Amino acid sequence: MVNQWLNVRSLISEEDLYQIYKYENINEYLKFHPVNVVEHARSIEKWIDIPTPVLESYKMIGRQTPLVRAYRLEKQLQTNNKIYLKREDLLSNGSFKITSALPQAYYGALEGKKSVFTETGAGQTGVAAALAARLNGLDCKVFMVRTSYELKKLRRLMMEMYGAEVLASPSKDTKAGRALLSNGESNGSIALATSEVMECISENSDSFNIAGSLLDFVLTYNSIVGLETIKQLDEEGVQPDIIVGCVGGGSSFGGFALPLIDRYKGQLTQVICTESSSIPTLTKGTYCYDHPDGEGLGNKLLMYSLGYDFKPPAMHASGLRYHAASPIVSYFVNKGFIEAKAYEEKEAMLSAIDFSRAEGVIASPESSYTIHAIKEICHEYDNKNIVAVITGNGQLDLESYGVFL
Amino acid sequence: MVNQWLNVRSLISEEDLYQIYKYENINEYLKFHPVNVVEHARSIEKWIDIPTPVLESYKMIGRQTPLVRAYRLEKQLQTNNKIYLKREDLLSNGSFKITSALPQAYYGALEGKKSVFTETGAGQTGVAAALAARLNGLDCKVFMVRTSYELKKLRRLMMEMYGAEVLASPSKDTKAGRALLSNGESNGSIALATSEVMECISENSDSFNIAGSLLDFVLTYNSIVGLETIKQLDEEGVQPDIIVGCVGGGSSFGGFALPLIDRYKGQLTQVICTESSSIPTLTKGTYCYDHPDGEGLGNKLLMYSLGYDFKPPAMHASGLRYHAASPIVSYFVNKGFIEAKAYEEKEAMLSAIDFSRAEGVIASPESSYTIHAIKEICHEYDNKNIVAVITGNGQLDLESYGVFL
């Protein structure tokens, strides 16, 4: 079993790190995150030991996840490439998100915190936070963007199954929420849900936030996805040629691809990250200093961005609805180690439907972009070993697929 | 990897088999099922080799499934019993049902059949048939009881994701369906859906039915669940004391428990099958010759039954809505090798909610009865190894859990 995380900051020179983070005030994180987590965010050590209780909780929720050869997809695509899929969809909560939520909850509990506040859009982050909190004996309150609260009832029920209290944001529980509600604005946004969370944490010193993406420590905790993949490839005697995943904030892709880039550097034909052509952060965004939040309040980071005030359109793969991409992933894209590709929603969703008919796996809409990329790669290349990550399962997104059936 | 099925008929003496099946005409099965499948239904050989392509498709959909120690549930229940869970919920389609559907589809395709017709209530059987058909290059048409067709939209979409055509039953496609529709009866029932399927198969010699429960060959194909469990227990050096599962028609329980009963006979403290107190087939039914179908047309079998004309009430665990139990499972209950226990829906569903908070696993409502039994066992016993099967995942049943949250 993999028992260390790979610190993604360690893959970048100190000089470059300074450039990326020169406006960041890492101590700000201490207001909202456990001390150990912030230590990891600022560390440049390459390896971080995973505490035994976290290893046990990883095992409990289904880690290590299988790496499977997709024989039937290969047959469907009539390709002689070999396709390997890292199956994060098989985790109990239904997505990779629990992988970074568990250590955050563990360190919070270790430091005497009693409760978690977290924001969620479509619900995957909230589900992971709810489960991680519960497994570590913490209370959990989730502020869920009201439109999702109403439309994504099953994800809300899943959080409640895990014992979390779920509030529609804007809520009456916070000043920020009440202000909007009194103006007759009730649809909410992830930015507002975040404000509600920050207000609650500021007023409750026993509480903290579980972050779902973007921040380096989230990618570092997710590095176990890539490290397991390396171990599994070694066991099969397989040398990867092409790496594929999707990018919203970049936390699954970073956790999956960066350990592979580190291990196989110079030997990979291509590393591809996919995104939606409606939110083309990495293919059409600018590499610049921008705010990570939607209100322009957070310290600027060097990353690809469509502008902090970009309003992501509604889409089925709601996990890809973010205006920027993780600074670390952005760095590797900028240096040319990772190539970004954008696809239309319809072509991606149709490829995922074909995939379900080949492999029996209902992938999350986010992963449909990865599946579409695999198809494209198979047109372009022969005799390669393609390694891709399926980030989550799409059983609760079947209505989205229904639109394309 | 397990590469043989245990023929469940081989566990019963020829004399007793004769008593159970004296009214059965096994050749009737040839009208609806592949020849190889019927051969297995009539065989009394103990072991049946699993064909290599079936083994490959088992691997593809997630077999072998994990056997996990439920440490957190043990902690929640404050017990010193050890609880082991066989996780059939992790299969791609979401339940054990694919385990018997795959070989049926394989043999049908091998014998030149082109399409599958199948009936489904809440949809688990239909989802498994749709996937098994697709993975074997067969078309699939599912007759889904109209009330479920409307209420269980996500399961219907899942069948469509797998490429099946799903019709609400009664449908306009059959004489039986049209007759009911013209009488203004449109809610449907599993008995009517079965009639529609039989009519279609009679008129289409290239087609066959994938059975979901009750019949011996279904239990035999599911025996891999129990055989994998034995192998996994051996690997961990664990000797089971108490075996638990739920019974609707008895196919998951038979496949899971019978190999364990065979292997550990005389050494088990208790073998428990659970059912709903609203449909108390094994606790309050009569051990008698009765029809397996709801219309009194099928040949009588010796089994526990509430009467073929018993109308199962609506309930969340719709997989348990059946008036009788598999003759083989019934036989072992009657002989005292298996003890049946009935629970109220509410206590079962609440135990499953507690379980999700301990282990992060959303179990199918059917398995909630098993989870409740584990709780009861832990009150009664100490220092035992409890081995239970979680038959499916409940993500598409979250609305059912919502009623109890």
Side-chain angles (χ1 to χ4, degrees):
Chain A
M1 189 160 182
V2 175
N3 57 14
Q4 290 183 311
W5 291 297
L6 171 62
N7 180 357
V8 296
R9 281 206 178 197
S10 74
L11 305 178
I12 297 184
S13 72
E14 288 196 45
E15 200 175 308
D16 287 345
L17 276 180
Y18 173 76
Q19 285 305 319
I20 295 171
Y21 295 110
K22 65 181 174 182
Y23 302 118
E24 186 186 41
N25 177 1
I26 213 160
N27 291 323
E28 281 276 312
Y29 296 165
L30 286 169
K31 293 183 191 164
F32 304 113
H33 300 286
V35 176
N36 279 278
V37 170
V38 178
E39 286 299 322
H40 294 158
R42 103 169 88 204
S43 163
I44 52 166
E45 289 297 313
K46 183 158 184 179
W47 299 102
I48 297 170
D49 288 337
I50 306 177
T52 305
V54 175
L55 284 174
E56 281 167 7
S57 62
Y58 275 162
K59 200 175 167 192
M60 188 73 54
I61 49 93
R63 301 221 73 92
Q64 86 179 15
T65 59
L67 180 76
V68 302
R69 171 93 181 267
Y71 290 100
R72 286 180 204 264
L73 179 62
E74 292 171 14
K75 202 175 153 192
Q76 188 186 61
L77 297 176
Q78 297 179 290
T79 181
N80 59 18
N81 293 299
K82 296 192 176 80
I83 303 167
Y84 296 87
L85 302 177
K86 180 64 171 166
R87 295 283 306 278
E88 296 293 298
D89 57 296
L90 290 173
L91 293 163
S92 292
N93 60 306
S95 87
F96 76 98
K97 290 262 180 190
I98 190 68
T99 310
S100 62
L102 280 172
Q104 293 182 69
Y106 166 74
Y107 289 117
L110 190 72
E111 294 168 20
K113 304 284 187 184
K114 301 293 179 215
S115 64
V116 168
F117 290 96
T118 202
E119 68 281 9
T120 199
Q124 289 282 28
T125 301
V127 165
L131 177 56
R134 172 61 54 160
L135 295 183
N136 286 280
L138 300 163
D139 290 333
C140 181
K141 192 179 270 193
V142 181
F143 289 87
M144 186 173 189
V145 177
R146 188 177 297 270
T147 46
S148 298
Y149 182 91
E150 280 154 15
L151 285 173
K152 301 266 178 185
K153 187 181 171 195
L154 298 185
R155 283 244 160 71
R156 168 162 67 80
L157 285 169
M158 199 156 169
M159 290 181 242
E160 290 172 2
M161 281 293 278
Y162 290 153
E165 183 185 349
V166 186
L167 297 175
S169 168
S171 78
K172 289 184 187 153
D173 271 35
T174 66
K175 283 183 220 114
R178 287 191 296 270
L180 257 85
L181 287 171
S182 69
N183 286 342
E185 292 173 50
S186 64
N187 279 343
S189 67
I190 194 74
L192 175 73
T194 307
S195 302
E196 294 203 89
V197 164
M198 297 306 154
E199 185 180 326
C200 291
I201 294 173
S202 303
E203 288 172 1
N204 181 344
S205 62
D206 275 351
S207 71
F208 66 105
N209 175 240
I210 290 184
S213 194
L214 194 77
L215 301 171
D216 295 346
F217 63 78
V218 178
L219 276 70
T220 291
Y221 296 148
N222 285 339
S223 67
I224 192 169
V225 179
L227 296 169
E228 283 178 5
T229 305
I230 291 169
K231 174 175 158 282
Q232 291 166 315
L233 289 169
D234 283 348
E235 283 164 6
E236 299 287 318
V238 174
Q239 168 89 17
D241 299 305
I242 300 172
I243 309 294
V244 200
C246 64
V247 171
S251 74
S252 72
F253 188 80
F256 170 66
L258 294 175
L260 291 159
I261 290 174
D262 180 54
R263 161 71 185 269
Y264 301 104
K265 49 182 164 267
Q267 304 165 54
L268 295 167
T269 307
Q270 218 178 354
V271 181
I272 297 170
C273 67
T274 64
E275 62 181 11
S276 155
S277 56
S278 311
I279 306 172
T281 314
L282 291 164
T283 50
K284 296 199 176 155
T286 311
Y287 193 55
C288 64
Y289 290 93
D290 199 12
H291 304 286
D293 59 308
E295 299 179 285
L297 300 173
N299 292 319
K300 288 184 171 183
L301 302 166
L302 180 57
M303 58 188 173
Y304 281 94
S305 174
L306 296 164
Y308 74 88
D309 53 354
F310 176 82
K311 299 282 174 251
M315 54 188 290
H316 295 290
S318 42
L320 304 186
R321 293 181 72 246
Y322 184 62
H323 69 273
S326 141
I328 306 271
V329 170
S330 290
Y331 172 88
F332 281 95
V333 171
N334 187 250
K335 291 284 179 198
F337 287 103
I338 298 173
E339 191 176 335
K341 298 205 177 216
Y343 300 110
E344 301 290 332
E345 179 170 79
K346 188 175 175 186
E347 60 186 356
M349 294 294 274
L350 292 178
S351 289
I353 292 171
D354 287 344
F355 170 72
S356 73
R357 291 171 185 187
E359 293 285 330
V361 176
I362 314 283
S364 61
E366 290 77 14
S367 293
S368 72
Y369 294 82
T370 299
I371 293 162
H372 189 72
I374 293 172
K375 202 163 151 183
E376 224 184 55
I377 292 162
C378 287
H379 283 134
E380 198 173 336
Y381 290 100
D382 282 311
N383 294 307
K384 298 293 183 195
N385 291 325
I386 303 167
V387 185
V389 60
I390 304 297
T391 54
N393 95 48
Q395 288 199 32
L396 301 191
D397 305 289
L398 279 164
E399 301 227 38
S400 292
Y401 284 111
V403 175
F404 300 92
L405 276 166
Chain B
M1 189 159 183
V2 175
N3 57 12
Q4 290 184 311
W5 290 298
L6 171 63
N7 180 357
V8 297
R9 281 207 178 194
S10 73
L11 304 178
I12 297 184
S13 72
E14 286 196 46
E15 201 174 306
D16 286 345
L17 275 180
Y18 173 77
Q19 286 305 319
I20 295 171
Y21 294 109
K22 65 181 175 185
Y23 301 117
E24 187 186 41
N25 177 2
I26 213 162
N27 292 324
E28 281 275 313
Y29 295 165
L30 285 169
K31 293 184 191 163
F32 304 112
H33 300 287
V35 176
N36 279 279
V37 170
V38 177
E39 286 300 322
H40 294 159
R42 105 170 89 206
S43 162
I44 52 167
E45 290 297 313
K46 182 157 184 181
W47 299 101
I48 298 171
D49 288 337
I50 306 177
T52 306
V54 176
L55 285 175
E56 282 168 7
S57 61
Y58 275 163
K59 199 175 168 194
M60 188 72 53
I61 50 92
R63 299 221 75 89
Q64 78 181 18
T65 58
L67 179 76
V68 301
R69 171 94 181 267
Y71 291 100
R72 285 180 204 262
L73 178 62
E74 292 171 14
K75 200 175 154 193
Q76 188 186 58
L77 298 176
Q78 296 179 291
T79 181
N80 59 18
N81 293 299
K82 294 190 176 81
I83 303 168
Y84 296 87
L85 301 177
K86 180 65 171 165
R87 294 284 305 278
E88 296 293 297
D89 58 296
L90 290 174
L91 293 163
S92 291
N93 60 306
S95 87
F96 76 100
K97 289 264 179 187
I98 191 68
T99 311
S100 63
L102 280 173
Q104 294 182 68
Y106 166 75
Y107 288 117
L110 190 72
E111 295 168 20
K113 304 283 189 188
K114 302 294 180 214
S115 64
V116 168
F117 291 96
T118 202
E119 69 280 9
T120 199
Q124 288 282 27
T125 300
V127 165
L131 178 56
R134 172 61 55 162
L135 295 183
N136 285 279
L138 300 162
D139 289 334
C140 181
K141 193 179 268 190
V142 181
F143 289 88
M144 186 171 189
V145 177
R146 188 178 296 270
T147 45
S148 298
Y149 182 90
E150 281 155 13
L151 284 174
K152 301 264 179 184
K153 188 182 171 193
L154 297 185
R155 284 243 160 70
R156 169 161 67 81
L157 285 170
M158 200 157 167
M159 291 181 242
E160 291 173 0
M161 281 294 277
Y162 291 154
E165 183 185 349
V166 186
L167 297 174
S169 168
S171 79
K172 289 183 186 155
D173 271 33
T174 67
K175 285 185 219 110
R178 287 190 295 270
L180 257 86
L181 286 172
S182 69
N183 286 341
E185 293 173 49
S186 65
N187 279 344
S189 67
I190 195 74
L192 175 74
T194 306
S195 302
E196 294 203 89
V197 164
M198 296 307 155
E199 186 180 325
C200 290
I201 294 174
S202 304
E203 289 173 2
N204 181 345
S205 61
D206 276 352
S207 72
F208 67 105
N209 174 243
I210 290 183
S213 193
L214 193 78
L215 301 171
D216 294 347
F217 63 78
V218 179
L219 276 69
T220 292
Y221 296 148
N222 285 338
S223 66
I224 193 168
V225 180
L227 296 169
E228 283 177 4
T229 305
I230 291 169
K231 175 175 157 283
Q232 292 165 315
L233 289 169
D234 283 349
E235 284 164 5
E236 298 287 317
V238 174
Q239 168 89 18
D241 299 304
I242 300 173
I243 308 293
V244 199
C246 63
V247 171
S251 74
S252 72
F253 188 79
F256 169 66
L258 294 174
L260 291 159
I261 290 174
D262 179 55
R263 161 71 186 267
Y264 302 105
K265 47 181 167 269
Q267 304 166 53
L268 294 167
T269 307
Q270 216 178 357
V271 181
I272 297 170
C273 67
T274 63
E275 62 181 12
S276 154
S277 56
S278 310
I279 307 172
T281 314
L282 291 164
T283 49
K284 296 200 174 154
T286 311
Y287 193 55
C288 65
Y289 290 95
D290 198 12
H291 304 286
D293 60 308
E295 299 178 287
L297 299 173
N299 291 317
K300 287 183 172 184
L301 301 166
L302 181 57
M303 57 188 175
Y304 281 94
S305 175
L306 297 164
Y308 74 87
D309 54 355
F310 176 82
K311 299 283 173 251
M315 54 188 289
H316 294 290
S318 42
L320 304 186
R321 294 181 69 244
Y322 185 61
H323 69 273
S326 145
I328 307 270
V329 170
S330 291
Y331 172 89
F332 282 94
V333 170
N334 187 250
K335 291 285 178 199
F337 287 103
I338 298 172
E339 191 177 335
K341 301 208 176 211
Y343 300 110
E344 302 289 333
E345 179 169 77
K346 189 176 173 182
E347 60 186 354
M349 294 293 274
L350 292 178
S351 289
I353 291 171
D354 287 344
F355 171 72
S356 72
R357 291 173 184 185
E359 293 285 329
V361 176
I362 314 284
S364 61
E366 291 77 15
S367 294
S368 72
Y369 294 81
T370 299
I371 294 162
H372 189 71
I374 293 171
K375 201 163 151 183
E376 222 182 57
I377 292 161
C378 288
H379 282 135
E380 199 173 335
Y381 290 100
D382 281 310
N383 294 309
K384 298 293 183 196
N385 291 325
I386 303 167
V387 185
V389 59
I390 303 298
T391 55
N393 94 48
Q395 288 199 31
L396 301 191
D397 305 288
L398 279 164
E399 301 228 37
S400 291
Y401 284 112
V403 175
F404 300 92
L405 275 166

